[in-house]
Amino acid sequence: MSPLNTGISNCRNVASYSFGAGTLSTLPGHVESLKKDANSYVIYYIDCYFQGSSALLNGLALNPEDLCHFVDSSNEPTTSLVDEYVKSIRSAKNEILPVAIIGLGGGVTMDIAKAVSNLLNNPGTASDYQGWDLVKFPGIYKIGIPTISGTGCEATRTCVMTNLETGLKLGMNSDFTVFDRIILDPDLSATVPTDQYFYTGMDAYIHCIESMNGSYRNAIGDAFSQQALALCRGIFLSEDMQSDDNRASLMVASYLGGCAIASSYVGVIHPFSAGLSVVLGTHHCIANCIVMMAMKDFYPQAYQEFIEMLEKQEIRLPSGIASNLSDAQYEALYNSTIIHEKPLTNALGDDFSKILTKDRVIRMFQDM
Ligand code: ZN
């Protein structure tokens, strides 16, 4: 059986969403409608970037019984961090479960909300569910509110976590990981720094490039990809990629890119990017952009277009981050790249390891 045969042609989409500037204001009323009695409470995971943002926090109208965690999004989620959150909720609330879990932030924050939601209703630890369709019971009702666009996390059936003990960076791929509701409010991405906006936005572009160039295709996934790519081209080849209209468009491109990848697989870029994240701690979105610089042979057209977007937006990528490492580090980079059997099979076929020999992989890292 092909490793790509994991049932993802059965797609579950986000159950409901609201879109438009100012739609965050619909959240408090929605949350109240979920509460049943005096013990009902909600858990908020909020990117620590907003910790001092009193206007935003007051607008959420938290109640004293609710739990609020500010997430340090400079570190990508680990399985042990997710386990710690779950343990602390169980002890703080004496096994009473929340009526909703809300993730407000970027991919890191939303992924934590997804993972904690699933684990509160399933036994065991986060690492037990790294893989495909291992989650047995629906998680707690979850709401995703992206504040930066591109990862598509608001749409996907995964939440990426790294297991530091095994080096495995893999999500809980499950229908139960999909958000029950998302709020796409472009006002929330108004203060994203320019570089960050570009790197994260490129994640949407890259998901669709990989998906469209793979062997595992379907018409719906392609349609999502085509529209997301058209939006990305409009945004990143324009004069002001962060205009009000472009920020709204990128929220849509991110969502569509997430839908595309939920019904397909990534390709060569994400495995290399995961290698950089696991071995050197490079963040996902900037790692993708760095990897793009070594993708001329694999995605020649996208490579050219990516360079054009970099130049148009005057973004300067770091270079040489893997040019001078130890043998052990190169070995680790190779291993944490080649381990991604499904996307590499999607991009290069069953014999991907003959194309991506150890020497070639190491040379590509050295060239980034
Ligand atoms: Zn990605």
Side-chain angles (χ1 to χ4, degrees):
M1 195 173 82
S2 164
L4 301 183
N5 197 359
T6 50
I8 62 168
S9 55
N10 299 315
C11 297
R12 180 162 186 253
N13 288 120
V14 168
S16 69
Y17 58 85
S18 46
F19 173 72
T23 43
L24 181 64
S25 63
T26 62
L27 182 67
H30 182 60
V31 163
E32 262 333 288
S33 74
L34 298 169
K35 294 189 174 176
K36 295 176 198 86
D37 55 42
N39 286 327
S40 294
Y41 71 99
V42 173
I43 303 175
Y44 294 82
Y45 290 98
I46 300 176
D47 191 305
C48 63
Y49 175 82
F50 295 103
Q51 199 156 6
S53 178
S54 50
L56 180 134
L57 297 175
N58 291 339
L60 296 178
L62 266 65
N63 286 321
E65 65 273 17
D66 296 333
L67 300 178
C68 180
H69 297 282
F70 289 99
V71 173
D72 176 4
S73 55
S74 56
N75 298 311
E76 293 186 348
T78 59
T79 50
S80 54
L81 176 72
V82 170
D83 291 337
E84 271 170 45
Y85 274 130
V86 171
K87 211 170 137 194
S88 79
I89 295 162
R90 288 194 193 286
S91 68
K93 291 290 184 177
N94 210 4
E95 300 291 330
I96 296 174
L97 296 173
V99 295
I101 295 190
I102 295 161
L104 187 151
V108 167
T109 309
M110 286 190 287
D111 276 355
I112 287 174
K114 287 169 154 186
V116 170
S117 153
N118 280 351
L119 269 181
L120 280 173
N121 270 352
N122 286 275
T125 60
S127 61
D128 296 337
Y129 298 101
Q130 284 183 292
W132 277 266
D133 300 308
L134 302 170
V135 182
K136 289 179 187 69
F137 307 106
I140 304 288
Y141 184 90
K142 43 188 163 285
I143 304 174
I145 309 170
T147 59
I148 185 168
S149 308
T151 66
C153 164
E154 63 276 19
T156 60
R157 67 195 297 279
T158 193
C159 47
V160 181
M161 304 171 295
T162 300
N163 182 335
L164 293 177
E165 278 162 36
T166 61
L168 182 65
K169 183 182 170 178
L170 183 62
M172 294 181 189
N173 294 268
S174 162
D175 280 352
F176 299 135
T177 306
V178 180
F179 280 116
D180 296 284
R181 183 172 184 78
I182 59 171
I183 296 175
L184 303 177
D185 182 347
D187 283 354
L188 293 170
S189 65
T191 56
V192 175
T194 300
D195 283 7
Q196 209 54 46
Y197 182 88
F198 181 88
Y199 299 145
T200 311
M202 273 300 125
D203 200 19
Y205 174 83
I206 289 169
H207 287 152
C208 298
I209 291 296
E210 289 177 293
S211 171
M212 291 289 287
N213 285 281
S215 62
Y216 191 94
R217 302 267 296 275
N218 68 71
I220 295 177
D222 283 3
F224 282 130
S225 289
Q226 283 158 357
Q227 185 56 28
L229 284 172
L231 289 168
C232 286
R233 288 178 180 125
I235 297 159
F236 293 105
L237 295 171
S238 75
E239 293 304 323
D240 179 7
M241 65 176 178
Q242 288 175 282
S243 68
D244 288 353
D245 284 349
N246 277 338
R247 278 188 288 101
S249 291
L250 191 54
M251 282 210 150
V252 178
S254 174
Y255 175 71
L256 296 179
C259 291
I261 218 61
S263 59
S264 178
Y265 293 95
V266 285
V268 184
I269 302 160
H270 273 71
F272 277 81
S273 169
L276 289 178
S277 296
V278 170
V279 179
L280 302 179
T282 317
H283 280 208
H284 177 63
C285 298
I286 190 171
N288 283 344
C289 289
I290 291 169
V291 169
M292 273 307 283
M293 302 310 287
M295 288 296 129
K296 196 175 178 181
D297 292 346
F298 295 94
Y299 304 104
Q301 280 175 327
Y303 170 81
Q304 286 304 338
E305 192 168 55
F306 176 73
I307 303 266
E308 210 182 311
M309 290 171 174
L310 273 180
E311 285 170 0
K312 184 80 188 176
Q313 304 304 333
E314 298 178 4
I315 302 293
R316 243 176 229 111
L317 277 179
S319 66
I321 68 160
S323 61
N324 210 357
L325 304 178
S326 68
D327 288 350
Q329 282 174 303
Y330 283 124
E331 182 81 23
L333 278 172
Y334 169 74
N335 288 333
S336 42
T337 300
I338 212 77
I339 195 174
H340 295 274
E341 182 196 20
K342 290 180 201 339
L344 292 173
T345 305
N346 180 44
L348 304 171
D350 291 332
D351 287 342
F352 66 84
S353 57
K354 289 185 186 144
I355 299 167
L356 290 176
T357 60
K358 190 187 277 190
D359 279 357
R360 185 173 186 187
V361 168
I362 291 172
R363 252 185 293 119
M364 286 167 67
F365 277 114
Q366 287 167 334
D367 286 345
M368 282 172 196

